[in-house]
Amino acid sequence: GHISLTSFALDRENTSFYNLTIFVQDGGQVPKSAITSVYVTILDENDNFPVFLQSEYQYSIVEKNRIVHSCR
């Protein structure tokens, strides 16, 4: 079988994790059934534009300054 989503789009900013409880039962004279859980983690997609508090930023850096922290 398969599980499909048709009613809404997934958005990690709203909900990052789903715990689905699946119950199945056959149509036999003595019905047999099973239950299980499906855990779904939504990965993030960069779907939001960056937001800046100012329209312009200015900084000065002194030449030959010692590196204290670097970003990669």
Side-chain angles (χ1 to χ4, degrees):
H2 69 276
I3 300 170
S4 63
L5 179 69
T6 58
S7 61
F8 60 94
L10 300 177
D11 187 353
R12 187 177 197 284
E13 281 78 19
N14 293 325
T15 305
S16 63
F17 180 82
Y18 291 89
N19 179 3
L20 307 175
T21 301
I22 309 298
F23 175 80
V24 294
Q25 182 175 341
D26 69 10
Q29 287 270 350
V30 179
K32 294 186 179 178
S33 63
I35 191 167
T36 191
S37 293
V38 176
Y39 303 98
V40 180
T41 301
I42 307 302
L43 300 178
D44 196 16
E45 180 177 303
N46 192 7
D47 57 349
N48 296 316
F49 291 100
V51 176
F52 297 97
L53 300 177
Q54 298 173 210
S55 62
E56 184 176 309
Y57 293 85
Q58 291 185 358
Y59 293 95
S60 298
I61 298 174
V62 178
E63 186 177 6
K64 296 185 180 180
N65 198 3
R66 190 177 132 241
I67 297 174
V68 178
H69 181 77
S70 64
C71 298
R72 294 180 191 230

